[in-house]
Amino acid sequence: MEIPTATSLADIYPEASLPIQKSRWQALLTKFEQTYGRTADFVSRSPGRVNIIGEHIDYSLYEVIPMAITADVLMAVAVHPSSEKTSKVRLANVHPEKFPTRDFEIPSQGEIPIDATTHEWTNYFKAGIRGASKLLQDKRGSGFVSVGMDVLVDGTVPSGGGLSSSAAFVCTSALAVMKANGEEVVDKTELTELAIVSERAVGVNSGGMDQSASVFPVRGSALYVSFKPSLTAKNVTIPNTDPEITFVIAQSFVVSNKQVTAPVCYNLRVVECTIAAACLAKIFRLQHPLPKDAGPLGISLKGFHDAYFEEKEGIKDNSQTSVPDLQKQLEALIDLTDDYLPQTHGYSREEIAQILGITTGDVEKQFLSSFPVRAERFLLRQRALHVFTEALRVLQFMDLLLEPPTSADGKTDSKALMKQLGDLMNETQDSCRDVYECSCPEIDELCRLARSAGAHGSRLTGAGWGGCSVHLVPADKVDRVKEVWENEYYRKRFADMTPERLEEAIVVSRPGSGSCVYRVQGGSL
């Protein structure tokens, strides 16, 4: 499945967004000409995403259900002549006061250097160059060097807001580099996989949901993303209900920068889940080492899951197991984790080493040296319990989307469906707050207020520790929910908030479209 080339903004955005987007895109192209003295050749585009359910389990290789949103990252690009002796990138942003203009060269040998210890906005573009260049070297030979280019960026996905601005940026960058180097056909799976690896170069060890949700979606559908045995994505229609199901996104305005906080938040959770997988394999005396997989550290809880049932019950290919049986497996793993990882206060390096039969130095080398992590104790029990229970909720959510409850007349029972979907989202929030510990008081408050005003389900979305929340709200309750948030959260916490800022804070979302390229003709739309 290839990345589409749009011929009209109507191919990308819903009708209601077109007037604003036309003005924005034309301003981008005009600014490009003013900045570089030439017209852009094309625009690369990837959206942000909201995760409906499946929080912090993608890097353990369990399924998730996100959807793309309208907010996106645009890059207008003009390609330098291939005859230039050095490949140079000139990178500017429509907001130069926040994102300073940078120039840099693409080295003729070796990878483009990225200092992941500095919070520099251009690192995300360099990450896209690095990933795309490696793919093109595999295709064209080790001597391949990317052409130079002029790039102007405009992004509407809030940074640190939990809507995957970093993934949207890296996906857009990688797509821009591929197109600039003459790749007429860019495969969606190929782009997603290289973007997953690329983002790790800036110190963020994401599992792949964010990139999949930026690249794959078709407008009007949510996305069911699987990572094992390989990355796949299936568009799933949200059932028609009366009143209509809407997903409302509310920004907490607590900024959570994954790159800055990763050592004690995001990356620490990745490490804890990986160590939990290794410890469970040892505790249950699996005869073979856990197979290497696409997890950030090479093994995952899903890898343990499959290996356990292969050895204990003879299931050779768990990807062929029915959904009801997968649910039973997860229920069994929840019970086993509850019994065999009992320490609620966590595990020290010494205790982990003892379980694994290795030295503390080996623990450091295998689990703690790939990226920055700071912790004295690792909460293996809590992290594994969250992952297994959340994976179960995703399967239950998907069941409801595919086979919604019906009323006596055979039609979808809208009230029952919304309540059951909402209950699962509420359980996710409880687990994120109490077990995975990735929520914050502001998100908790937004969820409480939304439920009091008629939301069926409310939860954080994204990395957590701030950012955004997502809420399943019947269409006839949306205005009431927005009113309660405005009066009880935004006006109380941010007394000087402007109407424009408030408009940005709350988004009533419809599932949007994924990555695309727009060919520019004559410098205008």
Side-chain angles (χ1 to χ4, degrees):
M1 192 184 309
E2 66 183 78
I3 299 293
T5 298
T7 57
S8 163
L9 295 190
D11 296 338
I12 305 171
Y13 301 106
E15 186 175 350
S17 301
L18 287 176
I20 293 173
Q21 292 299 335
K22 284 179 180 177
S23 174
R24 175 188 170 219
W25 279 60
Q26 193 57 62
L28 174 71
L29 295 176
T30 300
K31 180 72 172 176
F32 188 96
E33 286 194 58
Q34 293 170 350
T35 302
Y36 296 116
R38 59 186 296 197
T39 60
D41 297 321
F42 64 89
V43 176
S44 173
R45 181 258 180 191
S46 294
R49 66 94 186 96
V50 60
N51 188 25
I52 301 172
I53 195 163
E55 207 58 73
H56 277 278
I57 64 172
D58 58 329
Y59 49 80
S60 288
L61 305 188
Y62 281 102
E63 291 79 2
V64 293
I65 305 178
M67 70 182 194
I69 58 176
T70 302
D72 55 16
V73 174
L74 306 178
M75 292 185 183
V77 181
V79 182
H80 293 181
S82 58
S83 57
E84 289 186 348
K85 289 185 177 180
T86 58
S87 296
K88 188 173 183 179
V89 174
R90 298 192 293 179
L91 186 63
N93 195 291
V94 296
H95 300 292
E97 68 285 356
K98 291 178 64 179
F99 305 104
T101 298
R102 306 289 192 208
D103 295 358
F104 56 87
E105 289 186 4
I106 302 172
S108 58
Q109 292 183 327
E111 293 183 323
I112 189 166
I114 297 173
D115 183 0
T117 64
T118 62
H119 186 49
E120 164 61 45
W121 77 280
T122 58
N123 280 351
Y124 294 94
F125 189 83
K126 291 177 180 178
I129 292 179
R130 181 184 286 189
S133 294
K134 186 176 187 309
L135 179 64
L136 292 173
Q137 284 169 356
D138 292 341
K139 289 184 173 185
R140 303 183 188 180
S142 59
F144 168 81
V145 179
S146 172
V147 296
M149 61 196 85
D150 297 332
V151 183
L152 181 63
V153 181
D154 180 16
T156 56
V157 187
S159 177
L163 300 176
S164 293
S165 58
S166 60
F169 199 112
V170 173
C171 289
T172 308
S173 303
L175 178 58
V177 174
M178 299 284 280
K179 285 293 181 179
N181 284 281
E183 289 290 299
E184 289 302 317
V185 176
V186 178
D187 181 75
K188 287 188 175 184
T189 300
E190 207 167 54
L191 177 62
T192 301
E193 289 177 341
L194 78 84
I196 292 168
V197 175
S198 297
E199 194 172 345
R200 292 174 185 166
V202 294
V204 177
N205 290 278
S206 61
M209 174 192 67
D210 299 344
Q211 296 81 2
S212 300
S214 189
V215 172
F216 276 101
V218 172
R219 200 167 77 208
S221 296
L223 201 68
Y224 182 71
V225 183
S226 302
F227 304 96
K228 207 170 178 290
S230 61
L231 177 68
T232 59
K234 179 171 68 175
N235 287 285
V236 184
T237 303
I238 304 296
N240 292 323
T241 57
D242 185 18
E244 181 185 6
I245 289 175
T246 60
F247 292 99
V248 185
I249 303 164
Q251 170 68 265
S252 70
F253 292 122
V254 176
V255 176
S256 172
N257 187 296
K258 283 196 293 187
Q259 187 184 29
V260 174
T261 63
V264 293
C265 295
Y266 193 93
N267 284 353
L268 178 57
R269 296 301 184 275
V270 173
V271 166
E272 288 173 319
C273 289
T274 307
I275 295 174
C279 287
L280 286 168
K282 277 291 184 181
I283 288 168
F284 293 111
R285 300 180 181 179
L286 298 190
Q287 297 301 306
H288 303 287
L290 290 182
K292 293 293 183 182
D293 59 26
L297 291 175
I299 61 172
S300 65
L301 281 167
K302 185 63 164 69
F304 161 73
H305 175 159
D306 292 344
Y308 178 87
F309 285 99
E310 181 176 355
E311 287 201 18
K312 303 300 183 182
E313 297 189 11
I315 300 172
K316 295 293 185 184
D317 184 1
N318 217 15
S319 67
Q320 302 302 312
T321 301
S322 69
V323 170
D325 285 342
L326 283 174
Q327 293 182 14
K328 290 176 183 175
Q329 289 180 6
L330 285 165
E331 289 165 353
L333 291 176
I334 292 164
D335 290 340
L336 290 170
T337 302
D338 196 29
D339 291 338
Y340 288 91
L341 284 177
Q343 294 184 193
T344 57
H345 61 290
Y347 293 79
S348 66
R349 286 166 172 79
E350 292 74 19
E351 289 168 325
I352 291 166
Q354 185 176 14
I355 292 171
L356 297 179
I358 59 178
T359 67
T360 54
D362 289 333
V363 171
E364 291 281 347
K365 182 178 179 181
Q366 290 181 30
F367 303 107
L368 305 175
S369 62
S370 296
F371 38 81
V373 173
R374 296 197 304 274
E376 293 303 317
R377 301 192 71 83
F378 300 85
L379 302 183
L380 310 184
R381 169 190 173 85
Q382 292 91 327
R383 308 321 181 210
L385 284 173
H386 168 80
V387 170
F388 292 143
T389 57
E390 182 72 347
L392 179 59
R393 285 187 285 270
V394 169
L395 295 180
Q396 293 167 338
F397 200 97
M398 187 67 169
D399 275 349
L400 288 167
L401 295 182
L402 295 177
E403 295 186 28
T406 55
S407 52
D409 59 5
K411 296 181 179 179
T412 296
D413 187 332
S414 299
K415 185 175 181 180
L417 175 62
M418 283 190 268
K419 182 181 186 309
Q420 291 174 41
L421 292 174
D423 286 348
L424 291 169
M425 293 174 66
N426 292 333
E427 290 171 17
T428 293
Q429 175 60 19
D430 292 345
S431 185
C432 285
R433 183 189 63 232
D434 301 331
V435 183
Y436 216 68
E437 298 175 287
C438 60
S439 189
C440 66
E442 294 82 359
I443 292 288
D444 299 340
E445 178 72 359
L446 284 168
C447 292
R448 184 189 66 78
L449 291 169
R451 292 169 191 163
S452 73
H456 284 286
S458 296
R459 53 175 294 272
L460 68 83
T461 187
W465 298 285
C468 283
S469 54
V470 61
H471 309 263
L472 190 159
V473 185
D476 61 352
K477 295 289 198 302
V478 169
D479 288 343
R480 174 59 181 155
V481 170
K482 291 171 67 175
E483 180 185 10
V484 168
W485 279 334
E486 180 177 348
N487 294 331
E488 299 298 323
Y489 182 82
Y490 295 111
R491 295 298 182 198
K492 287 186 176 181
R493 290 177 180 267
F494 311 100
D496 59 347
M497 179 174 281
T498 64
E500 293 78 17
R501 184 73 163 156
L502 184 61
E503 188 71 22
E504 294 173 3
I506 303 170
V507 177
V508 181
S509 182
R510 299 288 185 277
S513 59
S515 297
C516 69
V517 173
Y518 183 96
R519 292 287 179 187
V520 178
Q521 302 292 333
S524 62
L525 298 174

